Amino acid sequence: MFFERPVERASGDARAVAENGTAERAVLVNLTLDSDSAGVDLDEFEALVRSAGGDPVAVVGGHRLAPQARTFVGSGKLEEIAATLAAEDAQLVIFNHALSPSQERNIEGELKCRVLDRTGLILDIFAQRARTHEGKLQVELAQLQYMSTRLVRGWTHLERQKGGIGLRGPGETQLETDRRLLRARIKSIRSRLERVRRQRGQGRRARQRAELPTVALVGYTNAGKSTLFNRLTEAEVYAADQLFATLDPTLRRLSVPNLGSVILADTVGFIARLPHGLVESFKATLEETREADLLLHVVDAASEERDDNRHEVRAVLEEIGADERPELEVYNKIDLLETNARIDRDEQGMPRRVWVSAAAGIGMDLLLQALAELLGKDLFAETVTLSPDQARLRAALHALGAVEEEAFDDDGSARLHIRLPRADWERLQARGGL
């Protein structure tokens, strides 16, 4: 049941990297395990490697009942991997599985090359994508937690940060010094991220006082969340056809017709077997998801794995405690399908799914309509008559975008059909109609 297959060369930017000689030639190991109920997606694995800047030159596959304790694969499979490395002149082996520290060291000893597992690969991509100070801190924390049991190649970068000479005590080994520096760095990062978490909490409380609903975009990586975010808010968040194009959360104000302003949050994409350490490290960011009034679950409608991807997203939402939040599914990329933009409704007539294309701008009006219906359950929608001396109240209603129709009587009074959150209307009245 063993097999090896060549890998189609990357296209676009990844191909350019490979041609420039900067991409590492990598042999991929992708086994089918009876003990792995989740299964594996080889195309996604290759996309991950290319996203990291690697050049996957061959895939070594096979079947095992369960991982081998010492080297994950058997001796025969190790020989096959070694032969493939030599034939392809590759410098790196990447497993589409989680390896224990001892397995990784043993495989490196046998193959005499660098070995990376799925978790390390995803961490490397995250390290490349992080742009903000907070994002870099979160990635570094996840990396340090992952590598804390892999003190094999040394921690010279930590020694440079803290200073090496004079730090070690009498009889302290280099490994003990490295571990102590590592613990201190992890403690420092956690403290800084806790300050970030408190700052985010203050921002959320301010939005709650202003009674601005928060809508969080969630979904499988590369489902089109950032493209949808840019289309709705006219922002310029980085969006690309690659895995984990977005790591750093971005918040923008979005004006929804017949509702008013909401806060839209773009978040990191999820993936199958997302390392638990990443979820733990990104808690400060993922709180935006857990505290949102509504989740927009963006699904790649054209993907053959869309049902499996939906399941993986819901598994992560459950892990971070956001699985009970109200949710609207957004089936994106319908321009790749033979279907029209539409709203699917539940038995109560409420929107549960909207079919759109963010790239082509199709169905955006339907999405905004669905948002207004789901978030505007407690709306004040009436026709009010304002006398001429209530001009300030009339101006305030116009400023809020709450006026749908307006007419004037002979005595100068204005009849306005308004729609706005009831809390906003009550606040205006409490201020004496301005």
Side-chain angles (χ1 to χ4, degrees):
M1 294 294 293
F2 295 132
F3 66 94
E4 173 186 334
R5 77 172 180 86
V7 177
E8 294 182 5
R9 295 301 180 189
S11 59
D13 294 340
R15 178 183 294 166
V17 170
E19 290 174 352
N20 291 335
T22 58
E24 289 188 271
R25 296 171 63 83
V27 172
L28 313 187
V29 180
N30 185 73
L31 303 184
T32 301
L33 301 174
D34 286 357
S35 58
D36 187 0
S37 59
V40 293
D41 184 341
L42 183 55
D43 291 336
E44 180 181 89
F45 181 34
E46 293 176 4
L48 281 171
V49 174
R50 292 191 177 104
S51 292
D55 181 17
V57 294
V59 176
V60 177
H63 174 266
R64 284 190 68 89
L65 295 177
Q68 200 258 11
R70 184 176 178 275
T71 58
F72 195 89
V73 297
S75 57
K77 182 58 60 178
L78 274 177
E79 292 177 0
E80 183 181 346
I81 296 172
T84 306
L85 275 169
E88 297 291 347
D89 190 26
Q91 307 86 26
L92 176 65
V93 174
I94 306 178
F95 279 71
N96 194 19
H97 312 275
L99 301 176
S100 70
S102 62
Q103 287 172 336
E104 189 173 302
R105 288 194 295 270
N106 292 335
I107 297 171
E108 285 186 340
E110 295 285 345
L111 298 178
K112 301 296 187 291
C113 73
R114 285 195 304 113
V115 174
L116 198 63
D117 70 354
R118 181 182 175 89
T119 302
L121 174 64
I122 293 176
L123 284 170
D124 185 83
I125 297 172
F126 272 46
Q128 295 180 46
R129 299 285 190 269
R131 295 290 182 268
T132 66
H133 176 65
E134 177 193 352
K136 291 176 181 178
L137 283 177
Q138 292 175 131
V139 171
E140 184 179 357
L141 176 60
Q143 286 180 316
L144 295 181
Q145 291 173 327
Y146 168 74
M147 298 174 69
S148 60
T149 55
R150 289 167 161 81
L151 292 176
V152 180
R153 304 185 185 97
W155 293 92
T156 55
H157 63 292
L158 292 179
E159 291 171 359
R160 284 198 297 270
Q161 291 172 4
K162 295 276 293 189
I165 298 176
L167 280 180
R168 70 195 64 183
E172 186 175 38
T173 67
Q174 181 67 48
L175 184 59
E176 289 168 341
T177 300
D178 292 341
R179 283 175 174 162
R180 176 164 52 79
L181 294 174
L182 184 63
R183 288 194 298 268
R185 180 63 178 165
I186 288 176
K187 182 178 179 181
S188 172
I189 293 176
R190 281 178 169 162
S191 175
R192 293 160 74 178
L193 285 175
E194 178 61 24
R195 289 197 295 270
V196 171
R197 189 192 67 80
R198 290 196 296 267
Q199 292 169 357
R200 284 191 177 278
Q202 292 172 356
R204 277 193 299 273
R205 287 191 292 273
R207 295 197 298 270
Q208 289 168 357
R209 286 195 297 270
E211 297 184 345
L212 288 176
T214 299
V215 178
L217 292 170
V218 300
Y220 208 78
T221 182
N222 205 31
K225 296 182 301 300
S226 294
T227 302
L228 179 62
F229 183 88
N230 290 339
R231 175 69 66 177
L232 290 173
T233 64
E234 298 182 357
E236 296 181 357
V237 171
Y238 178 66
D241 185 17
Q242 60 186 20
L243 302 183
F244 298 118
T246 301
L247 280 190
D248 303 307
T250 306
L251 281 70
R252 292 287 188 276
R253 186 183 292 256
L254 170 65
S255 179
V256 179
N258 301 324
L259 178 66
S261 295
V262 303
I263 299 298
L264 188 63
D266 189 18
T267 62
V268 61
F270 302 149
I271 196 170
R273 292 176 289 166
L274 186 67
H276 178 76
L278 280 178
V279 176
E280 183 70 20
S281 300
F282 276 73
K283 270 188 174 178
T285 297
L286 295 173
E287 279 187 1
E288 296 293 346
T289 301
R290 191 167 59 244
E291 301 294 333
D293 297 284
L294 178 67
L295 301 181
L296 285 190
H297 181 175
V298 183
V299 178
D300 182 352
S303 172
E304 295 180 357
E305 293 80 29
R306 73 184 186 191
D307 290 335
D308 291 336
N309 294 348
R310 288 168 64 233
H311 175 75
E312 294 292 344
V313 170
R314 292 207 166 91
V316 177
L317 290 175
E318 183 176 357
E319 184 175 354
I320 65 176
D323 53 316
E324 298 298 327
R325 307 309 301 167
E327 178 183 311
L328 173 66
E329 288 187 332
V330 181
Y331 270 41
N332 190 27
K333 305 185 183 182
I334 63 169
D335 53 311
L336 304 179
L337 303 172
E338 294 183 1
T339 188
N340 297 321
R342 66 181 187 273
I343 299 178
D344 294 341
R345 299 180 179 273
D346 60 19
E347 296 176 352
Q348 288 74 42
M350 297 302 294
R352 64 180 179 89
R353 181 180 300 143
V354 185
W355 297 73
V356 305
S357 170
I362 301 171
M364 295 300 104
D365 55 337
L366 295 178
L367 178 55
L368 292 176
Q369 176 187 333
L371 284 177
E373 291 185 43
L374 291 172
L375 293 173
K377 294 179 180 178
D378 191 21
L379 284 176
F380 179 81
E382 301 285 348
T383 298
V384 298
T385 301
L386 303 182
S387 61
D389 59 356
Q390 291 178 296
R392 293 181 61 193
L393 175 57
R394 174 177 170 272
L397 291 170
H398 275 285
L400 289 172
V403 180
E404 292 189 325
E405 295 181 11
E406 183 177 25
F408 293 93
D409 295 332
D410 294 339
D411 62 357
S413 298
R415 285 183 287 107
L416 292 78
H417 183 71
I418 60 176
R419 181 190 294 265
L420 75 166
R422 187 173 299 274
D424 287 350
W425 173 247
E426 292 174 351
R427 185 167 55 250
L428 289 175
Q429 290 203 312
R431 292 163 60 185
L434 296 177

